[in-house]
Short mmCIF file of all heavy atoms in Angstrom, two decimals:
data_model
loop_
_atom_site.label_atom_id
_atom_site.label_comp_id
_atom_site.label_asym_id
_atom_site.label_seq_id
_atom_site.Cartn_x
_atom_site.Cartn_y
_atom_site.Cartn_z
N MET R 923 0.86 -1.18 -0.01
CA MET R 923 0.03 -0.04 0.02
C MET R 923 0.87 1.31 -0.01
O MET R 923 0.37 2.24 -0.46
CB MET R 923 -0.96 0.03 1.19
CG MET R 923 -2.08 -1.02 1.01
SD MET R 923 -3.53 -0.94 2.02
CE MET R 923 -3.22 0.25 3.31
N GLY R 924 2.03 1.19 0.49
CA GLY R 924 2.81 2.37 0.50
C GLY R 924 2.93 3.10 1.86
O GLY R 924 2.55 2.54 2.80
N CYS R 925 3.52 4.29 1.79
CA CYS R 925 3.84 4.98 3.03
C CYS R 925 2.67 5.44 3.78
O CYS R 925 2.74 5.69 5.07
CB CYS R 925 4.79 6.22 2.73
SG CYS R 925 4.02 7.42 1.67
N GLY R 926 1.51 5.50 3.28
CA GLY R 926 0.29 5.89 4.01
C GLY R 926 -0.56 4.77 4.36
O GLY R 926 -1.66 4.93 4.95
N GLY R 927 -0.16 3.60 4.15
CA GLY R 927 -0.92 2.37 4.37
C GLY R 927 -1.39 2.25 5.84
O GLY R 927 -2.61 1.89 6.06
N GLU R 928 -0.53 2.42 6.77
CA GLU R 928 -0.99 2.33 8.17
C GLU R 928 -1.98 3.32 8.57
O GLU R 928 -2.92 3.03 9.26
CB GLU R 928 0.33 2.38 9.14
CG GLU R 928 1.17 1.21 8.98
CD GLU R 928 2.31 1.18 9.88
OE1 GLU R 928 2.39 2.07 10.69
OE2 GLU R 928 3.28 0.31 9.75
N PHE R 929 -1.88 4.58 8.08
CA PHE R 929 -2.95 5.57 8.27
C PHE R 929 -4.27 5.15 7.69
O PHE R 929 -5.33 5.32 8.26
CB PHE R 929 -2.48 6.87 7.76
CG PHE R 929 -1.25 7.42 8.40
CD1 PHE R 929 -0.04 7.56 7.61
CD2 PHE R 929 -1.15 7.74 9.77
CE1 PHE R 929 1.16 7.95 8.19
CE2 PHE R 929 0.03 8.17 10.33
CZ PHE R 929 1.17 8.35 9.66
N ALA R 930 -4.26 4.64 6.46
CA ALA R 930 -5.43 4.22 5.79
C ALA R 930 -6.16 3.04 6.46
O ALA R 930 -7.38 3.06 6.70
CB ALA R 930 -5.10 3.87 4.32
N LEU R 931 -5.25 2.17 6.98
CA LEU R 931 -5.87 0.97 7.61
C LEU R 931 -6.44 1.47 8.97
O LEU R 931 -7.48 0.93 9.40
CB LEU R 931 -4.77 -0.08 7.92
CG LEU R 931 -4.34 -0.88 6.67
CD1 LEU R 931 -3.20 -1.85 7.06
CD2 LEU R 931 -5.49 -1.70 6.07
N GLY R 932 -5.79 2.39 9.62
CA GLY R 932 -6.34 2.90 10.90
C GLY R 932 -7.79 3.52 10.65
O GLY R 932 -8.64 3.34 11.47
N ALA R 933 -7.82 4.29 9.62
CA ALA R 933 -9.10 4.91 9.28
C ALA R 933 -10.23 3.92 8.94
O ALA R 933 -11.30 4.05 9.30
CB ALA R 933 -8.92 5.99 8.15
N LEU R 934 -9.79 2.92 8.19
CA LEU R 934 -10.74 1.84 7.84
C LEU R 934 -11.20 1.10 9.09
O LEU R 934 -12.40 0.80 9.17
CB LEU R 934 -10.10 0.83 6.87
CG LEU R 934 -9.93 1.35 5.38
CD1 LEU R 934 -9.08 0.32 4.61
CD2 LEU R 934 -11.16 1.63 4.76
N HIS R 935 -10.36 0.87 9.99
CA HIS R 935 -10.66 0.24 11.22
C HIS R 935 -11.73 1.11 12.03
O HIS R 935 -12.70 0.64 12.58
CB HIS R 935 -9.49 -0.08 12.07
CG HIS R 935 -9.73 -0.79 13.33
ND1 HIS R 935 -10.19 -2.07 13.51
CD2 HIS R 935 -9.85 -0.33 14.61
CE1 HIS R 935 -10.41 -2.28 14.72
NE2 HIS R 935 -10.21 -1.30 15.42
N ALA R 936 -11.32 2.37 12.15
CA ALA R 936 -12.18 3.31 12.90
C ALA R 936 -13.53 3.44 12.29
O ALA R 936 -14.51 3.67 13.09
CB ALA R 936 -11.48 4.66 13.05
N ALA R 937 -13.67 3.37 10.99
CA ALA R 937 -14.94 3.49 10.30
C ALA R 937 -15.75 2.20 10.16
O ALA R 937 -16.90 2.28 9.69
CB ALA R 937 -14.71 4.10 8.95
N ARG R 947 -15.91 4.89 2.86
CA ARG R 947 -14.87 4.47 3.81
C ARG R 947 -13.50 4.58 3.07
O ARG R 947 -12.51 5.04 3.66
CB ARG R 947 -15.04 2.99 4.22
CG ARG R 947 -16.17 2.91 5.23
CD ARG R 947 -16.28 1.49 5.73
NE ARG R 947 -15.19 1.03 6.51
CZ ARG R 947 -14.75 -0.17 6.52
NH1 ARG R 947 -15.45 -1.13 6.00
NH2 ARG R 947 -13.74 -0.47 7.27
N LEU R 948 -13.48 4.28 1.82
CA LEU R 948 -12.27 4.36 0.98
C LEU R 948 -11.78 5.83 0.93
O LEU R 948 -10.58 6.17 1.16
CB LEU R 948 -12.45 3.83 -0.41
CG LEU R 948 -11.36 4.06 -1.33
CD1 LEU R 948 -10.01 3.34 -0.87
CD2 LEU R 948 -11.68 3.60 -2.74
N ALA R 949 -12.73 6.70 0.66
CA ALA R 949 -12.41 8.18 0.61
C ALA R 949 -11.86 8.64 1.94
O ALA R 949 -10.88 9.42 1.98
CB ALA R 949 -13.60 9.01 0.19
N MET R 950 -12.49 8.21 3.05
CA MET R 950 -12.15 8.57 4.33
C MET R 950 -10.63 8.10 4.69
O MET R 950 -9.71 8.78 5.19
CB MET R 950 -13.06 8.04 5.50
CG MET R 950 -12.65 8.43 6.90
SD MET R 950 -13.81 7.69 8.06
CE MET R 950 -15.22 8.48 7.76
N ALA R 951 -10.40 6.80 4.23
CA ALA R 951 -9.08 6.20 4.48
C ALA R 951 -7.93 6.95 3.68
O ALA R 951 -6.92 7.36 4.17
CB ALA R 951 -9.02 4.73 4.10
N LEU R 952 -8.21 7.33 2.44
CA LEU R 952 -7.32 8.05 1.64
C LEU R 952 -7.09 9.52 2.12
O LEU R 952 -5.99 9.95 2.10
CB LEU R 952 -7.81 8.11 0.21
CG LEU R 952 -7.78 6.75 -0.59
CD1 LEU R 952 -8.47 6.91 -1.89
CD2 LEU R 952 -6.34 6.29 -0.77
N ALA R 953 -8.11 10.06 2.59
CA ALA R 953 -7.95 11.46 3.19
C ALA R 953 -7.14 11.38 4.45
O ALA R 953 -6.31 12.26 4.63
CB ALA R 953 -9.38 12.06 3.53
N ALA R 954 -7.28 10.41 5.31
CA ALA R 954 -6.39 10.20 6.51
C ALA R 954 -5.02 10.06 6.13
O ALA R 954 -4.17 10.67 6.74
CB ALA R 954 -6.99 9.03 7.28
N ALA R 955 -4.81 9.16 5.08
CA ALA R 955 -3.45 8.87 4.69
C ALA R 955 -2.73 10.21 4.11
O ALA R 955 -1.57 10.47 4.37
CB ALA R 955 -3.39 7.84 3.69
N GLY R 956 -3.61 10.90 3.33
CA GLY R 956 -2.99 12.18 2.85
C GLY R 956 -2.74 13.29 3.83
O GLY R 956 -1.84 14.05 3.71
N HIS R 957 -3.52 13.22 4.82
CA HIS R 957 -3.32 14.28 5.94
C HIS R 957 -2.13 13.98 6.75
O HIS R 957 -1.42 14.86 7.26
CB HIS R 957 -4.65 14.22 6.75
CG HIS R 957 -4.49 15.30 7.92
ND1 HIS R 957 -4.73 16.63 7.79
CD2 HIS R 957 -4.25 15.05 9.21
CE1 HIS R 957 -4.57 17.20 8.89
NE2 HIS R 957 -4.23 16.30 9.80
N HIS R 958 -1.88 12.65 7.08
CA HIS R 958 -0.85 12.28 7.99
C HIS R 958 0.47 11.89 7.48
O HIS R 958 1.49 11.70 8.12
CB HIS R 958 -1.37 11.14 8.91
CG HIS R 958 -2.51 11.57 9.87
ND1 HIS R 958 -2.35 12.36 10.88
CD2 HIS R 958 -3.85 11.34 9.75
CE1 HIS R 958 -3.46 12.58 11.46
NE2 HIS R 958 -4.39 11.96 10.81
N SER R 959 0.48 11.65 6.10
CA SER R 959 1.72 11.27 5.45
C SER R 959 2.17 12.19 4.35
O SER R 959 1.39 12.50 3.51
CB SER R 959 1.57 9.83 4.88
OG SER R 959 2.76 9.48 4.22
N ALA R 960 3.42 12.68 4.53
CA ALA R 960 3.91 13.62 3.51
C ALA R 960 4.02 13.03 2.16
O ALA R 960 4.14 13.71 1.16
CB ALA R 960 5.26 14.20 3.94
N GLY R 961 4.13 11.69 2.09
CA GLY R 961 4.29 11.05 0.78
C GLY R 961 2.98 10.69 0.08
O GLY R 961 2.98 9.92 -0.96
N VAL R 962 1.87 11.06 0.66
CA VAL R 962 0.57 10.71 0.00
C VAL R 962 -0.21 12.07 -0.37
O VAL R 962 -0.25 12.91 0.49
CB VAL R 962 -0.33 10.00 0.99
CG1 VAL R 962 -1.68 9.60 0.46
CG2 VAL R 962 0.45 8.65 1.48
N PHE R 966 -6.03 10.49 -6.20
CA PHE R 966 -6.02 9.09 -6.00
C PHE R 966 -6.68 8.33 -7.08
O PHE R 966 -7.59 8.88 -7.73
CB PHE R 966 -6.78 8.82 -4.58
CG PHE R 966 -6.14 9.54 -3.47
CD1 PHE R 966 -6.85 10.42 -2.75
CD2 PHE R 966 -4.85 9.19 -3.03
CE1 PHE R 966 -6.36 11.10 -1.67
CE2 PHE R 966 -4.36 9.87 -1.90
CZ PHE R 966 -5.05 10.76 -1.22
#
Side-chain angles (χ1 to χ4, degrees):
M923 289 195 348
C925 61
E928 291 182 5
F929 299 114
L931 287 174
L934 287 172
H935 178 77
R947 287 183 66 208
L948 174 62
M950 180 183 290
L952 291 171
H957 179 79
H958 293 288
S959 177
V962 178
F966 299 116

